[in-house]
Structures are given as structure tokens and as C-alpha cells.
Amino acid sequence: AAGVIQSPRHLIKEKRETATLKCYPIPRHDTVYWYQQGPGQDPQFLISFYEKMQSDKGSIPDRFSAQQFSDYHSELNMSSLELGDSALYFCASSPPGPTGSYEQYFGPGTRLTVT
Amino acid sequence: AQSVTQPDIHITVSEGASLELRCNYSYGATPYLFWYVQSPGQGLQLLLKYFSGDTLVQGIKGFEAEFKRSQSSFNLRKPSVHWSDAAEYFCAVGPSGYSSASKIIFGSGTRLSIRP
């Protein structure tokens, strides 16, 4: 079965650089979520999109922005990177329907290292 | 506010032994509850979920969990663990009722090690 695809899988950036993470949801899934997992931490919700509109917002820094495109893929843009942004970034998608938003399927993550 | 507590940071069990990972939640209404597993360097895989109905839910890889409203708990169990079960396990909660793109709140995780 198709899964959530994230690219790149690994990314190394220097401080103050920018980074773009991409997420391709499972086909026919209309909702995308972004989570950040720091070393030894639990995943923290950043932001979500439903039908290309921002739906919920968590602890996402102002330096980060995201959007969902017409094909439902999503991009997380990160600017002025800081050492503390080094983390595993997960994207998840969920299918439409009354309980769909609770069946979140996670991608393998993008490991961002800021040096 | 919703929260999830996993009181055990690290658990070691012998291969073939039974397993129970504890999870307590705090939420005003009946929550949606999940268990995810994360192998080192890997993504999060959904083991099982509880929305309503039978309080004993079966998941993949031989795992099950029981929702106990009176104890606000959703403990994960497996009768006999295998070395491949060594991983980080996260309990998570989502709000009940339909809401588009609702976030999941994760517990701090329990790291499971298997003793040969």
C-alpha cells in the first residue's frame, strides 16, 4: 500500500540558511499534518492543512511557514535556521470522513541537522 | 487541556515474556486514543486505535490495548514479546468529535528493550 512520502530524508544546513521539506500524502488523503521531534523527545504538532487551507496551528515558529497545494502535497519552509531546529520532521496524512482526521499515517520523516 | 502520561521511560523484558506499557490520559470527554511504535531512526507506525465500542482493541503485531474510563488509562499489552519489538512506544490522544485536521498529542514515550 502507498505510504506518505517525505523528501529529502536527510538534510544538512548551516545556521541562518533556509530549508524546504516536502510531503506527499497517501492518495485520496486530504489532510496533512507536520510534527517536529527533537532528540529524545515526543513528536510536537506544528501545523495542519485540510483541503489546502490551514486548519490547526501548534508550536510552529514564525520563521516557519507551510502550505498545501492543489495536489494535496505540502511543503514546510524553514528560514533563518537555528541549531535548535535540528530534529526529525514528520508529515502525516489522513483520509476524509468523520473520523478520518484521527487516522493519521506518518511518513518516515526528514532528519534536519543544522550546523 | 489534554495530556498523555507514560510513567515508564524505559522498560526491559525478556524475550517471550509478557508486556504491559502504561498510558494515562487527561481529557474532559471520551478521547480518541492511539498507540504508535517508532523503531530507531524510523517513522511512527500506528499499532492500534480506540474511538468507541469494545474497550479491548486489537492491533497489529499481536498488540492489544484496553480502554478503562474509570482509570483514564489505555495500557498496551502483548502476551509474548519478540526481539523485534524493541522500539519506542508512544501513547497519543486526539479530541473526540469530528474536527478537521485535529492534532494528536503524544506522550513522552516508553523505550522497550528486549533481553535475550
Side-chain angles (χ1 to χ4, degrees), chain A residues 56-77:
Chain A
D56 199 0
K57 195 172 183 180
S59 50
I60 184 170
D62 292 340
R63 300 177 288 108
F64 294 5
S65 65
Q67 57 182 324
Q68 186 180 30
F69 295 86
S70 58
D71 64 351
Y72 295 103
H73 95 272
S74 178
E75 294 183 5
L76 177 65
N77 299 292

Side-chain angles (χ1 to χ4, degrees), chain B:
Chain B
Q2 312 163 48
S3 66
V4 180
T5 302
Q6 293 180 250
D8 303 307
I9 296 173
H10 185 202
I11 284 181
T12 301
V13 299
S14 298
E15 189 168 16
S18 63
L19 169 71
E20 183 168 25
L21 302 182
R22 296 183 292 165
C23 172
N24 294 97
Y25 68 89
S26 173
Y27 188 69
T30 301
Y32 290 177
L33 295 160
F34 312 85
W35 275 98
Y36 284 87
V37 61
Q38 184 178 31
S39 297
Q42 300 298 310
L44 293 158
Q45 183 180 23
L46 180 64
L47 284 175
L48 47 78
K49 60 184 182 287
Y50 172 77
F51 288 173
S52 64
D54 193 347
T55 57
L56 184 64
V57 293
Q58 302 296 321
I60 62 172
K61 303 185 178 184
F63 285 93
E64 66 177 27
E66 186 171 12
F67 170 62
K68 292 186 178 180
R69 184 192 303 274
S70 61
Q71 298 177 20
S72 297
S73 69
F74 188 57
N75 293 350
L76 181 71
R77 301 194 293 249
K78 187 169 183 177
S80 176
V81 297
H82 186 262
W83 63 267
S84 60
D85 293 325
E88 188 89 17
Y89 290 80
F90 291 96
C91 182
V93 63
S96 60
Y98 176 67
S99 176
S100 61
S102 297
K103 62 180 179 286
I104 286 177
I105 295 173
F106 289 86
S108 54
T110 297
R111 183 159 61 94
L112 174 64
S113 297
I114 305 298
R115 190 185 302 118

Side-chain angles (χ1 to χ4, degrees), chain A residues 35 37 42 48 55 98 102 104, chain B residues 32 34 36 38 95 97-98 102 107:
Chain A
Y35 292 83
Q37 185 180 30
D42 56 289
S48 62
S55 181
Y102 306 112
Q104 295 187 21
Chain B
Y32 290 177
F34 312 85
Y36 284 87
Q38 184 178 31
Y98 176 67
S102 297

Side-chain angles (χ1 to χ4, degrees), chain A:
Chain A
V4 177
I5 297 172
Q6 291 188 246
S7 69
R9 293 293 308 278
H10 300 273
L11 189 59
I12 299 175
K13 291 285 186 178
E14 295 187 357
K15 283 194 309 183
R16 293 179 288 279
E17 286 192 321
T18 62
T20 297
L21 279 53
K22 297 184 179 182
C23 169
Y24 298 87
I26 293 171
R28 291 179 294 281
H29 283 198
D30 57 2
T31 307
V32 169
Y33 313 76
W34 286 97
Y35 292 83
Q36 177 192 57
Q37 185 180 30
Q41 304 293 314
D42 56 289
Q44 295 290 319
F45 172 75
L46 291 178
I47 196 166
S48 62
F49 291 88
Y50 168 66
E51 284 290 343
K52 292 152 280 186
M53 299 288 289
Q54 181 182 309
S55 181
D56 199 0
K57 195 172 183 180
S59 50
I60 184 170
D62 292 340
R63 300 177 288 108
F64 294 5
S65 65
Q67 57 182 324
Q68 186 180 30
F69 295 86
S70 58
D71 64 351
Y72 295 103
H73 95 272
S74 178
E75 294 183 5
L76 177 65
N77 299 292
M78 311 159 73
S79 62
S80 302
L81 287 169
E82 302 173 357
L83 295 178
D85 295 329
S86 295
L88 192 55
Y89 290 84
F90 287 109
C91 172
S93 72
S94 63
T99 60
S101 68
Y102 306 112
E103 295 189 44
Q104 295 187 21
Y105 297 86
F106 284 77
T110 293
R111 183 167 297 281
L112 172 67
T113 302
V114 181
T115 62

